[in-house]
Amino acid sequence: MSLPPLVEPAAELTRDEIRRYSRHLIIPDVGMDGQKRLKNAKVLAIGAGGLGSPTLMYLAAAGVGTLGIVDFDVVDETNLQRQIIHGQSDIGRAKAQSAKETIEEINPYVTVRLHEERLDSSNALDIVAQYDLIVDGTDNFATRYLVNDACVLSGKPYVWGSIYRFDGQASVFWAEHGPCYRCLYPEPPPPGMVPSCAEGGVLGVLCGTIGSVQTTEAIKVLTGIGDPLVGTLLIYDALAMEFRTVRARKDPECPLCGKNPTITGLIDYEEFCGTVSTAAEEAAATSTITAAELKAMQDNGDDLLLVDVREPGEYEIVRIPGSVLIPKGDLPAHLAELPQDRPVIVYCKTGVRSAEALALLKGAGFASAKHVQGGVTAWAHQVDPSLPTY
Ligand code: ZN
């Protein structure tokens, strides 16, 4: 589906801009007209992380006149494997500030606006209203639904991308011309069902592939060239090196963009998506110990079984001494082997998966089971700082 240009052209390009963008200007489909549209365009990037890095850098290089960045996070060493807008000397600095400097180095003609706050229902509509198009690089469902809803309510195109391990997806959600994110995914997955990149990992360069697809789509929509991924879901498999597309249809019953919408304003997205499952929350409420408490129990010679519920690759990186590995997904099949006469203590990387494992154990009658708050990460911080974190 081809669509008219989203943005009106700027009045003119300066002599310096004409030289800088010459490789765009000589493409007939872009030309002076397209480049002037990019100059006049205002694009908002949600997050200056894995997907936001290549997206912001290429949008800046392409000459998008105004780039907004929503990010309140700080650059961490574990980001640098994929978040190429930041460098070694940026560790500990605000991602928004670090990204702004890189963009200004790539292209001084870009105006950068920073929104160093958590995007939520109170500010999303105001921020989205200041831009023509939104590019989303977040990896949590609450923000994804929030951005989708804010875009539909504001009539803005939403360029979405998603990555995990070797798999990526991208689409352009634009309720005026096709489906929105809710049309495809009416309900968020149950909490804990879909692991994040922090839990499951991601091949760094996948951010470049999917971020580049998002940037391409943004440029096409802004300038009105080609057929954007409106009504199309792109699915990428890096291991097979295969791209395929599936049609994505607008759902006439969509509560947001359908015929009879029931969602007419932003809602509470943390509640809608649930950050932790209720069962896990309830189990953890009464049966959580700290890493320091676990150490004291071990030093005291307490009889307990310590179970690591992460994946084998994570166990290989770092583990709490004295633990056995039973990945969370395998736990149901191993319940019969677990002792009933001494406490089973479970831990994971940060305490999210172990709380779910704890709920499973409690449900199976392991009344004295406990989980370790903050997981092996907390152990490395509180008990043995010589251990690596990841
Ligand atoms: Zn919809």
Short mmCIF file of all heavy atoms in Angstrom, two decimals, residues 326-382:
data_model
loop_
_atom_site.label_atom_id
_atom_site.label_comp_id
_atom_site.label_asym_id
_atom_site.label_seq_id
_atom_site.Cartn_x
_atom_site.Cartn_y
_atom_site.Cartn_z
N ILE A 326 18.08 -26.65 37.89
CA ILE A 326 16.85 -27.19 37.27
C ILE A 326 16.13 -26.00 36.63
O ILE A 326 15.48 -25.21 37.31
CB ILE A 326 15.90 -27.86 38.31
CG1 ILE A 326 16.63 -28.91 39.15
CG2 ILE A 326 14.70 -28.47 37.58
CD1 ILE A 326 15.77 -29.55 40.23
N PRO A 327 16.30 -25.80 35.30
CA PRO A 327 15.65 -24.65 34.66
C PRO A 327 14.15 -24.61 34.96
O PRO A 327 13.51 -25.67 35.08
CB PRO A 327 15.92 -24.89 33.18
CG PRO A 327 17.17 -25.71 33.14
CD PRO A 327 17.09 -26.60 34.35
N LYS A 328 13.62 -23.41 35.09
CA LYS A 328 12.22 -23.21 35.48
C LYS A 328 11.26 -24.07 34.66
O LYS A 328 10.33 -24.67 35.19
CB LYS A 328 11.85 -21.73 35.34
CG LYS A 328 10.58 -21.35 36.05
CD LYS A 328 10.17 -19.90 35.76
CE LYS A 328 9.24 -19.84 34.57
NZ LYS A 328 8.92 -18.49 34.13
N GLY A 329 11.52 -24.13 33.34
CA GLY A 329 10.63 -24.89 32.46
C GLY A 329 10.65 -26.39 32.74
O GLY A 329 9.69 -27.10 32.45
N ASP A 330 11.77 -26.88 33.33
CA ASP A 330 11.89 -28.32 33.62
C ASP A 330 11.39 -28.67 35.02
O ASP A 330 11.27 -29.85 35.36
CB ASP A 330 13.37 -28.76 33.52
CG ASP A 330 13.94 -28.53 32.13
OD1 ASP A 330 13.14 -28.38 31.19
OD2 ASP A 330 15.17 -28.49 32.00
N LEU A 331 11.12 -27.66 35.81
CA LEU A 331 10.78 -27.88 37.21
C LEU A 331 9.56 -28.81 37.41
O LEU A 331 9.63 -29.73 38.24
CB LEU A 331 10.55 -26.52 37.89
CG LEU A 331 10.72 -26.44 39.41
CD1 LEU A 331 12.05 -26.99 39.87
CD2 LEU A 331 10.54 -24.99 39.89
N PRO A 332 8.46 -28.62 36.65
CA PRO A 332 7.30 -29.49 36.86
C PRO A 332 7.64 -30.98 36.74
O PRO A 332 7.12 -31.80 37.49
CB PRO A 332 6.33 -29.06 35.76
CG PRO A 332 6.70 -27.64 35.47
CD PRO A 332 8.20 -27.58 35.64
N ALA A 333 8.57 -31.31 35.82
CA ALA A 333 8.93 -32.72 35.61
C ALA A 333 9.83 -33.26 36.72
O ALA A 333 10.03 -34.47 36.84
CB ALA A 333 9.62 -32.87 34.26
N HIS A 334 10.41 -32.37 37.55
CA HIS A 334 11.36 -32.80 38.57
C HIS A 334 10.81 -32.68 39.99
O HIS A 334 11.55 -32.87 40.96
CB HIS A 334 12.66 -32.00 38.46
CG HIS A 334 13.49 -32.38 37.26
ND1 HIS A 334 13.26 -31.88 36.01
CD2 HIS A 334 14.54 -33.24 37.14
CE1 HIS A 334 14.12 -32.40 35.16
NE2 HIS A 334 14.91 -33.23 35.82
N LEU A 335 9.52 -32.34 40.12
CA LEU A 335 8.96 -32.11 41.46
C LEU A 335 9.11 -33.31 42.37
O LEU A 335 9.41 -33.18 43.56
CB LEU A 335 7.47 -31.72 41.34
CG LEU A 335 7.20 -30.30 40.79
CD1 LEU A 335 5.71 -30.09 40.58
CD2 LEU A 335 7.77 -29.24 41.73
N ALA A 336 8.95 -34.52 41.78
CA ALA A 336 8.99 -35.74 42.60
C ALA A 336 10.37 -35.97 43.22
O ALA A 336 10.50 -36.63 44.25
CB ALA A 336 8.59 -36.95 41.76
N GLU A 337 11.41 -35.40 42.58
CA GLU A 337 12.78 -35.61 43.10
C GLU A 337 13.14 -34.63 44.21
O GLU A 337 14.17 -34.78 44.87
CB GLU A 337 13.79 -35.41 41.96
CG GLU A 337 13.61 -36.37 40.81
CD GLU A 337 14.21 -35.83 39.52
OE1 GLU A 337 15.14 -34.99 39.58
OE2 GLU A 337 13.73 -36.22 38.44
N LEU A 338 12.33 -33.61 44.40
CA LEU A 338 12.67 -32.59 45.39
C LEU A 338 12.29 -33.05 46.80
O LEU A 338 11.29 -33.73 46.98
CB LEU A 338 11.95 -31.27 45.06
CG LEU A 338 12.32 -30.64 43.71
CD1 LEU A 338 11.50 -29.38 43.48
CD2 LEU A 338 13.81 -30.33 43.63
N PRO A 339 13.09 -32.69 47.80
CA PRO A 339 12.84 -33.16 49.17
C PRO A 339 11.65 -32.43 49.80
O PRO A 339 11.45 -31.24 49.59
CB PRO A 339 14.14 -32.81 49.90
CG PRO A 339 14.70 -31.64 49.15
CD PRO A 339 14.29 -31.83 47.73
N GLN A 340 10.88 -33.17 50.61
CA GLN A 340 9.76 -32.57 51.35
C GLN A 340 10.19 -32.25 52.79
O GLN A 340 9.52 -31.48 53.48
CB GLN A 340 8.56 -33.53 51.39
CG GLN A 340 7.88 -33.77 50.05
CD GLN A 340 6.89 -32.67 49.65
OE1 GLN A 340 6.76 -31.66 50.35
NE2 GLN A 340 6.22 -32.84 48.52
N ASP A 341 11.32 -32.85 53.23
CA ASP A 341 11.70 -32.73 54.64
C ASP A 341 12.67 -31.59 54.93
O ASP A 341 13.08 -31.39 56.06
CB ASP A 341 12.30 -34.07 55.11
CG ASP A 341 13.50 -34.48 54.24
OD1 ASP A 341 13.64 -33.92 53.12
OD2 ASP A 341 14.30 -35.34 54.68
N ARG A 342 13.10 -30.86 53.91
CA ARG A 342 13.97 -29.70 54.13
C ARG A 342 13.60 -28.62 53.12
O ARG A 342 13.06 -28.94 52.05
CB ARG A 342 15.45 -30.09 54.03
CG ARG A 342 15.79 -30.78 52.73
CD ARG A 342 17.19 -31.39 52.76
NE ARG A 342 17.40 -32.21 51.59
CZ ARG A 342 18.44 -32.08 50.75
NH1 ARG A 342 19.37 -31.19 50.99
NH2 ARG A 342 18.55 -32.86 49.71
N PRO A 343 13.87 -27.36 53.46
CA PRO A 343 13.42 -26.29 52.57
C PRO A 343 14.12 -26.31 51.21
O PRO A 343 15.32 -26.54 51.13
CB PRO A 343 13.74 -25.01 53.34
CG PRO A 343 14.57 -25.39 54.49
CD PRO A 343 14.48 -26.86 54.70
N VAL A 344 13.34 -26.10 50.16
CA VAL A 344 13.87 -25.90 48.81
C VAL A 344 13.96 -24.39 48.60
O VAL A 344 12.98 -23.67 48.79
CB VAL A 344 12.95 -26.53 47.74
CG1 VAL A 344 13.48 -26.24 46.33
CG2 VAL A 344 12.82 -28.03 47.97
N ILE A 345 15.15 -23.93 48.26
CA ILE A 345 15.33 -22.50 48.03
C ILE A 345 15.70 -22.28 46.56
O ILE A 345 16.67 -22.88 46.07
CB ILE A 345 16.41 -21.92 48.96
CG1 ILE A 345 15.93 -22.10 50.41
CG2 ILE A 345 16.67 -20.44 48.65
CD1 ILE A 345 16.86 -21.57 51.46
N VAL A 346 14.92 -21.48 45.86
CA VAL A 346 15.16 -21.26 44.44
C VAL A 346 15.70 -19.86 44.21
O VAL A 346 15.42 -18.92 44.95
CB VAL A 346 13.86 -21.47 43.60
CG1 VAL A 346 13.52 -22.94 43.50
CG2 VAL A 346 12.70 -20.67 44.14
N TYR A 347 16.52 -19.74 43.17
CA TYR A 347 17.00 -18.41 42.77
C TYR A 347 17.18 -18.38 41.27
O TYR A 347 17.26 -19.42 40.60
CB TYR A 347 18.31 -18.04 43.49
CG TYR A 347 19.55 -18.74 42.96
CD1 TYR A 347 20.31 -18.16 41.94
CD2 TYR A 347 19.95 -19.97 43.46
CE1 TYR A 347 21.45 -18.79 41.45
CE2 TYR A 347 21.08 -20.61 42.96
CZ TYR A 347 21.83 -20.01 41.96
OH TYR A 347 22.94 -20.64 41.47
N CYS A 348 17.22 -17.15 40.70
CA CYS A 348 17.47 -16.98 39.27
C CYS A 348 18.45 -15.82 39.10
O CYS A 348 19.34 -15.63 39.93
CB CYS A 348 16.16 -16.76 38.51
SG CYS A 348 15.26 -15.27 38.98
N LYS A 349 18.28 -15.02 38.04
CA LYS A 349 19.21 -13.90 37.82
C LYS A 349 18.86 -12.72 38.73
O LYS A 349 19.72 -12.14 39.38
CB LYS A 349 19.18 -13.47 36.36
CG LYS A 349 20.13 -12.34 36.01
CD LYS A 349 19.94 -11.89 34.57
CE LYS A 349 20.83 -10.70 34.24
NZ LYS A 349 20.55 -10.16 32.90
N THR A 350 17.57 -12.35 38.73
CA THR A 350 17.17 -11.15 39.47
C THR A 350 15.97 -11.36 40.40
O THR A 350 15.57 -10.45 41.10
CB THR A 350 16.79 -10.00 38.50
OG1 THR A 350 15.68 -10.44 37.70
CG2 THR A 350 17.95 -9.61 37.62
N GLY A 351 15.38 -12.56 40.40
CA GLY A 351 14.28 -12.84 41.31
C GLY A 351 12.90 -12.90 40.67
O GLY A 351 11.92 -13.19 41.35
N VAL A 352 12.82 -12.66 39.36
CA VAL A 352 11.51 -12.71 38.69
C VAL A 352 11.12 -14.16 38.40
O VAL A 352 10.06 -14.64 38.79
CB VAL A 352 11.51 -11.88 37.39
CG1 VAL A 352 10.18 -12.02 36.66
CG2 VAL A 352 11.79 -10.42 37.70
N ARG A 353 12.01 -14.89 37.73
CA ARG A 353 11.71 -16.29 37.41
C ARG A 353 11.61 -17.15 38.67
O ARG A 353 10.78 -18.06 38.74
CB ARG A 353 12.79 -16.86 36.49
CG ARG A 353 12.62 -16.45 35.05
CD ARG A 353 13.81 -16.89 34.22
NE ARG A 353 14.98 -16.04 34.42
CZ ARG A 353 16.19 -16.28 33.90
NH1 ARG A 353 16.39 -17.38 33.19
NH2 ARG A 353 17.19 -15.45 34.10
N SER A 354 12.45 -16.83 39.67
CA SER A 354 12.42 -17.66 40.88
C SER A 354 11.11 -17.47 41.64
O SER A 354 10.62 -18.40 42.29
CB SER A 354 13.63 -17.37 41.77
OG SER A 354 13.64 -16.03 42.21
N ALA A 355 10.51 -16.26 41.55
CA ALA A 355 9.21 -16.04 42.21
C ALA A 355 8.15 -16.90 41.54
O ALA A 355 7.27 -17.45 42.20
CB ALA A 355 8.84 -14.56 42.15
N GLU A 356 8.24 -17.05 40.21
CA GLU A 356 7.29 -17.91 39.51
C GLU A 356 7.52 -19.38 39.85
O GLU A 356 6.58 -20.15 40.04
CB GLU A 356 7.39 -17.68 37.99
CG GLU A 356 6.70 -16.40 37.58
CD GLU A 356 7.29 -15.78 36.33
OE1 GLU A 356 8.08 -16.44 35.64
OE2 GLU A 356 6.95 -14.60 36.07
N ALA A 357 8.80 -19.76 39.95
CA ALA A 357 9.13 -21.14 40.35
C ALA A 357 8.62 -21.40 41.76
O ALA A 357 8.10 -22.48 42.07
CB ALA A 357 10.63 -21.35 40.28
N LEU A 358 8.74 -20.38 42.61
CA LEU A 358 8.27 -20.50 44.00
C LEU A 358 6.76 -20.75 44.03
O LEU A 358 6.28 -21.61 44.79
CB LEU A 358 8.62 -19.22 44.76
CG LEU A 358 8.21 -19.16 46.23
CD1 LEU A 358 9.04 -20.14 47.06
CD2 LEU A 358 8.38 -17.74 46.78
N ALA A 359 6.01 -20.01 43.20
CA ALA A 359 4.56 -20.19 43.15
C ALA A 359 4.22 -21.63 42.74
O ALA A 359 3.31 -22.25 43.29
CB ALA A 359 3.94 -19.20 42.17
N LEU A 360 5.01 -22.16 41.79
CA LEU A 360 4.80 -23.54 41.34
C LEU A 360 5.04 -24.52 42.49
O LEU A 360 4.26 -25.45 42.73
CB LEU A 360 5.74 -23.83 40.17
CG LEU A 360 5.67 -25.22 39.56
CD1 LEU A 360 4.54 -25.27 38.54
CD2 LEU A 360 6.98 -25.60 38.90
N LEU A 361 6.16 -24.29 43.23
CA LEU A 361 6.50 -25.18 44.34
C LEU A 361 5.44 -25.13 45.43
O LEU A 361 5.01 -26.16 45.95
CB LEU A 361 7.86 -24.79 44.92
CG LEU A 361 9.08 -25.07 44.03
CD1 LEU A 361 10.35 -24.49 44.66
CD2 LEU A 361 9.25 -26.57 43.80
N LYS A 362 5.01 -23.92 45.77
CA LYS A 362 3.97 -23.76 46.81
C LYS A 362 2.70 -24.50 46.39
O LYS A 362 2.07 -25.18 47.20
CB LYS A 362 3.65 -22.28 47.02
CG LYS A 362 4.82 -21.47 47.56
CD LYS A 362 4.88 -21.55 49.06
CE LYS A 362 6.01 -20.67 49.58
NZ LYS A 362 6.23 -20.85 51.01
N GLY A 363 2.35 -24.35 45.10
CA GLY A 363 1.15 -25.00 44.58
C GLY A 363 1.26 -26.52 44.63
O GLY A 363 0.27 -27.22 44.71
N ALA A 364 2.52 -27.03 44.60
CA ALA A 364 2.74 -28.48 44.63
C ALA A 364 2.96 -28.99 46.06
O ALA A 364 3.33 -30.15 46.25
CB ALA A 364 3.94 -28.83 43.76
N GLY A 365 2.77 -28.10 47.04
CA GLY A 365 2.81 -28.55 48.43
C GLY A 365 4.14 -28.33 49.14
O GLY A 365 4.30 -28.77 50.28
N PHE A 366 5.09 -27.66 48.51
CA PHE A 366 6.36 -27.37 49.18
C PHE A 366 6.20 -26.11 50.03
O PHE A 366 6.62 -25.02 49.63
CB PHE A 366 7.49 -27.22 48.15
CG PHE A 366 7.81 -28.48 47.42
CD1 PHE A 366 7.12 -28.83 46.26
CD2 PHE A 366 8.80 -29.35 47.89
CE1 PHE A 366 7.40 -30.01 45.58
CE2 PHE A 366 9.09 -30.53 47.22
CZ PHE A 366 8.38 -30.87 46.07
N ALA A 367 5.59 -26.28 51.20
CA ALA A 367 5.19 -25.13 52.01
C ALA A 367 6.38 -24.31 52.50
O ALA A 367 6.29 -23.10 52.68
CB ALA A 367 4.35 -25.60 53.20
N SER A 368 7.53 -24.99 52.74
CA SER A 368 8.67 -24.26 53.30
C SER A 368 9.60 -23.69 52.22
O SER A 368 10.66 -23.16 52.54
CB SER A 368 9.45 -25.18 54.24
OG SER A 368 9.94 -26.29 53.52
N ALA A 369 9.21 -23.81 50.95
CA ALA A 369 10.06 -23.29 49.87
C ALA A 369 10.21 -21.78 49.97
O ALA A 369 9.31 -21.08 50.44
CB ALA A 369 9.47 -23.67 48.52
N LYS A 370 11.36 -21.30 49.54
CA LYS A 370 11.62 -19.85 49.56
C LYS A 370 12.36 -19.47 48.28
O LYS A 370 12.91 -20.33 47.59
CB LYS A 370 12.47 -19.48 50.78
CG LYS A 370 11.74 -19.66 52.10
CD LYS A 370 12.57 -19.16 53.25
CE LYS A 370 11.79 -19.04 54.54
NZ LYS A 370 10.85 -20.14 54.81
N HIS A 371 12.38 -18.16 47.98
CA HIS A 371 13.22 -17.72 46.87
C HIS A 371 14.12 -16.57 47.32
O HIS A 371 13.87 -15.93 48.34
CB HIS A 371 12.39 -17.36 45.62
CG HIS A 371 11.98 -15.93 45.51
ND1 HIS A 371 12.24 -15.17 44.39
CD2 HIS A 371 11.34 -15.12 46.38
CE1 HIS A 371 11.76 -13.95 44.57
NE2 HIS A 371 11.20 -13.88 45.75
N VAL A 372 15.20 -16.38 46.56
CA VAL A 372 16.22 -15.39 46.94
C VAL A 372 15.95 -14.09 46.19
O VAL A 372 15.99 -14.04 44.96
CB VAL A 372 17.64 -15.90 46.62
CG1 VAL A 372 18.68 -14.88 47.05
CG2 VAL A 372 17.89 -17.25 47.28
N GLN A 373 15.69 -13.04 46.98
CA GLN A 373 15.43 -11.73 46.41
C GLN A 373 16.66 -11.23 45.62
O GLN A 373 17.77 -11.26 46.13
CB GLN A 373 15.15 -10.76 47.56
CG GLN A 373 14.70 -9.39 47.15
CD GLN A 373 14.37 -8.55 48.38
OE1 GLN A 373 15.11 -8.56 49.36
NE2 GLN A 373 13.26 -7.85 48.32
N GLY A 374 16.43 -10.82 44.38
CA GLY A 374 17.53 -10.26 43.58
C GLY A 374 18.43 -11.31 42.96
O GLY A 374 19.35 -10.98 42.20
N GLY A 375 18.19 -12.60 43.29
CA GLY A 375 18.89 -13.71 42.65
C GLY A 375 20.41 -13.67 42.78
O GLY A 375 20.97 -13.11 43.72
N VAL A 376 21.07 -14.28 41.80
CA VAL A 376 22.53 -14.39 41.83
C VAL A 376 23.19 -13.01 41.70
O VAL A 376 24.30 -12.78 42.16
CB VAL A 376 23.03 -15.36 40.74
CG1 VAL A 376 22.83 -14.79 39.34
CG2 VAL A 376 24.50 -15.73 40.95
N THR A 377 22.44 -12.05 41.12
CA THR A 377 22.96 -10.68 41.01
C THR A 377 23.11 -10.06 42.39
O THR A 377 24.14 -9.43 42.70
CB THR A 377 22.01 -9.83 40.12
OG1 THR A 377 21.80 -10.52 38.90
CG2 THR A 377 22.59 -8.46 39.84
N ALA A 378 22.11 -10.27 43.23
CA ALA A 378 22.18 -9.76 44.61
C ALA A 378 23.28 -10.48 45.39
O ALA A 378 24.00 -9.87 46.18
CB ALA A 378 20.83 -9.94 45.31
N TRP A 379 23.43 -11.80 45.13
CA TRP A 379 24.49 -12.57 45.80
C TRP A 379 25.86 -11.98 45.45
O TRP A 379 26.72 -11.81 46.32
CB TRP A 379 24.41 -14.04 45.37
CG TRP A 379 25.47 -14.92 45.96
CD1 TRP A 379 26.72 -15.13 45.46
CD2 TRP A 379 25.39 -15.69 47.16
NE1 TRP A 379 27.43 -15.99 46.26
CE2 TRP A 379 26.65 -16.36 47.32
CE3 TRP A 379 24.39 -15.91 48.11
CZ2 TRP A 379 26.90 -17.20 48.40
CZ3 TRP A 379 24.64 -16.76 49.19
CH2 TRP A 379 25.90 -17.39 49.33
N ALA A 380 26.05 -11.66 44.17
CA ALA A 380 27.33 -11.07 43.74
C ALA A 380 27.57 -9.71 44.38
O ALA A 380 28.70 -9.36 44.70
CB ALA A 380 27.37 -10.96 42.22
N HIS A 381 26.51 -8.96 44.58
CA HIS A 381 26.66 -7.64 45.20
C HIS A 381 26.85 -7.71 46.71
O HIS A 381 27.71 -7.05 47.28
CB HIS A 381 25.46 -6.74 44.87
CG HIS A 381 25.46 -6.27 43.44
ND1 HIS A 381 24.32 -6.21 42.67
CD2 HIS A 381 26.47 -5.87 42.63
CE1 HIS A 381 24.62 -5.77 41.46
NE2 HIS A 381 25.92 -5.57 41.40
N GLN A 382 26.05 -8.58 47.36
CA GLN A 382 26.02 -8.58 48.83
C GLN A 382 27.01 -9.54 49.46
O GLN A 382 27.52 -9.29 50.55
CB GLN A 382 24.60 -8.96 49.34
CG GLN A 382 23.52 -7.97 48.98
CD GLN A 382 22.13 -8.54 49.26
OE1 GLN A 382 21.97 -9.48 50.03
NE2 GLN A 382 21.10 -7.97 48.64
#
